[in-house]
Amino acid sequence: MSNKGKKIFLALSIIVPMIIYCYIYYKPIIQNAPFRKNDFVSMQFSWGVKDTLENHYNSVTGDYQYVNAQDSTVKKQVFLKSDDILFMHSKANEIGLWNFPDTIGKKSAKSMAVPRYDMTFNYKEKSKHVVLYGDFDGNPKLLDAAVQMRKVIEETINQAEKRSGK
């Protein structure tokens, strides 16, 4: 076999199968990545004690309702800027929100007195909904990540509220 023939045989037996393998392996990973910033539609965040989540925010309508320190309900219109959405989306990617289980903790008699947080991110093709119970005693890394995501959402909404000045 000539030198040129050996090189062609080597390319066909190693490089071509590697390219085919990469295509087969990475194609589903790339296709199953629906959580892109450009596909972001809306975000809802609700929190409260027991089953009544009297505090909530909806990014589509800008409805922001919460109970303040004087136990009175405050209703406002607060809209997020595209920078806020980009920040929350990048933090969700960094924290790994898309890999969280749908429920962190479990509803029990004890959880009737602890806070509950509902986070929903809606995209064109998919949504991610996570419920976090305040009395979660499982994996501490998962709890830390979920609490960090909750804080990011709260801070972003609070900053948008301050900007609106209403």
Side-chain angles (χ1 to χ4, degrees):
M1 194 184 268
S2 70
N3 226 6
K4 188 175 181 180
K6 288 179 184 178
K7 289 179 183 179
I8 292 172
F9 176 76
L10 181 65
L12 290 176
S13 63
I14 295 175
I15 297 171
V16 172
M18 186 64 172
I19 292 171
I20 293 171
Y21 170 77
C22 289
Y23 176 78
I24 291 171
Y25 182 79
Y26 288 109
K27 183 182 177 195
I29 293 171
I30 293 169
Q31 285 180 336
N32 291 333
F35 300 110
R36 294 182 296 270
K37 191 262 179 204
N38 294 338
D39 293 343
F40 182 82
V41 175
S42 66
M43 186 268 303
Q44 290 87 30
F45 180 59
S46 303
W47 69 99
V49 180
K50 301 182 183 177
D51 286 335
T52 58
L53 301 176
E54 64 271 358
N55 306 300
H56 59 84
Y57 176 75
N58 186 333
S59 68
V60 173
T61 61
D63 292 335
Y64 183 36
Q65 175 182 317
Y66 61 93
V67 178
N68 62 11
Q70 292 81 26
D71 283 339
S72 52
T73 302
V74 178
K75 293 183 181 183
K76 295 183 177 187
Q77 289 287 111
V78 176
F79 291 98
L80 298 175
K81 295 187 333 187
S82 62
D83 291 344
D84 298 330
I85 292 167
L86 177 62
F87 176 71
M88 284 195 304
H89 175 79
S90 64
K91 277 298 191 180
N93 270 339
E94 180 183 315
I95 292 170
L97 179 73
W98 321 130
N99 300 322
F100 284 11
D102 292 339
T103 304
I104 300 174
K106 59 183 180 236
K107 187 175 180 178
S108 64
K110 179 182 167 189
S111 64
M112 291 301 201
V114 297
R116 183 179 114 197
Y117 304 93
D118 281 3
M119 300 174 265
T120 306
F121 285 80
N122 299 312
Y123 290 81
K124 288 180 183 175
E125 297 172 9
K126 270 190 169 181
S127 293
K128 181 62 179 178
H129 179 242
V130 176
V131 178
L132 169 64
Y133 288 96
D135 63 344
F136 179 67
D137 60 355
N139 184 348
K141 287 183 179 180
L142 178 62
L143 178 62
D144 288 344
V147 168
Q148 186 179 359
M149 190 66 223
R150 175 187 59 89
K151 287 180 181 178
V152 165
I153 293 170
E154 287 174 348
E155 289 171 5
T156 305
I157 294 170
N158 290 337
Q159 288 175 357
E161 179 186 14
K162 286 178 187 174
R163 268 196 318 266
S164 69
K166 295 180 182 177

